[in-house]
Amino acid sequence: MLFRSLALDGWVGHGGDGSLLYVPYYFGWIASYSPTGELRYMVETIDRIPDPSIRRSGNGMLWIDPDTRVSAKSAWISGGNLYLLSGNAAGSRFSRMVDVYDTVNGTYRYSFEAPEAGASILVQRDSLYVVQDTGLCKWTLGPSAALQVANNE
């Protein structure tokens, strides 16, 4: 379809070695590009989802069907890991499941469930932040990807 580029909206981050990582919201894959723009790898995420549905109105307006499943609602890079907030169910604004991938080669590492659902995540050192509509929650990442509630924050 001519309008498939509409569905390529996504997240781009810096891999630390000068590389760029691209995570599309509506497709279940991750791409890494070298500093010179060469494709280093493209891997499927563990969440295989159908391609997005693009709708067109009679007056020519285009949009992605709101019931289209999202592969990754949010992404963040920290310590050689790419953290993806899984898209979860179609039409859902929030998610709890976080999938972790190696930034060097895209290998899946593990998943864990955040204590609160959110629309996006941030990871800073040993802390996971989950952002909701008007709130922000912080947890400490444990050695086995377990989460502990951060005190006084």
Side-chain angles (χ1 to χ4, degrees):
M1 177 186 260
L2 178 63
F3 305 109
R4 292 194 63 77
S5 61
L6 179 67
L8 291 177
D9 188 14
W11 179 90
V12 177
H14 187 260
D17 59 355
S19 65
L20 289 177
L21 283 106
Y22 167 57
V23 179
Y25 297 133
Y26 300 106
F27 296 97
W29 45 266
I30 302 165
S32 175
Y33 297 90
S34 73
T36 60
E38 296 175 44
L39 181 65
R40 292 176 44 194
Y41 63 79
M42 183 180 284
V43 297
E44 282 189 61
T45 62
I46 61 168
D47 286 328
R48 291 186 175 84
I49 61 169
D51 288 350
S53 299
I54 299 173
R55 304 287 182 230
R56 185 177 191 166
S57 69
N59 64 0
M61 183 176 135
L62 298 171
W63 71 93
I64 295 174
D65 187 325
D67 290 328
T68 295
R69 181 141 183 254
V70 175
S71 174
K73 292 190 176 300
S74 174
W76 197 263
I77 296 173
S78 180
N81 291 321
L82 172 64
Y83 295 84
L84 299 184
L85 181 62
S86 174
N88 216 359
S92 174
R93 293 185 45 230
F94 300 119
S95 179
R96 296 174 75 123
M97 189 56 62
V98 178
D99 301 325
V100 183
Y101 297 84
D102 187 311
T103 59
V104 173
N105 56 23
T107 302
Y108 168 75
R109 290 189 166 170
Y110 57 91
S111 297
F112 62 92
E113 190 171 279
E116 293 287 333
S120 64
I121 59 169
L122 299 102
V123 178
Q124 191 72 11
R125 292 185 272 300
D126 66 344
S127 296
L128 170 73
Y129 299 86
V130 176
V131 180
Q132 297 174 344
D133 284 331
T134 58
L136 172 72
C137 300
K138 177 185 177 186
W139 291 275
T140 301
L141 292 167
S144 65
L147 295 170
Q148 303 165 354
V149 175
N151 293 324
N152 303 323
E153 302 208 26

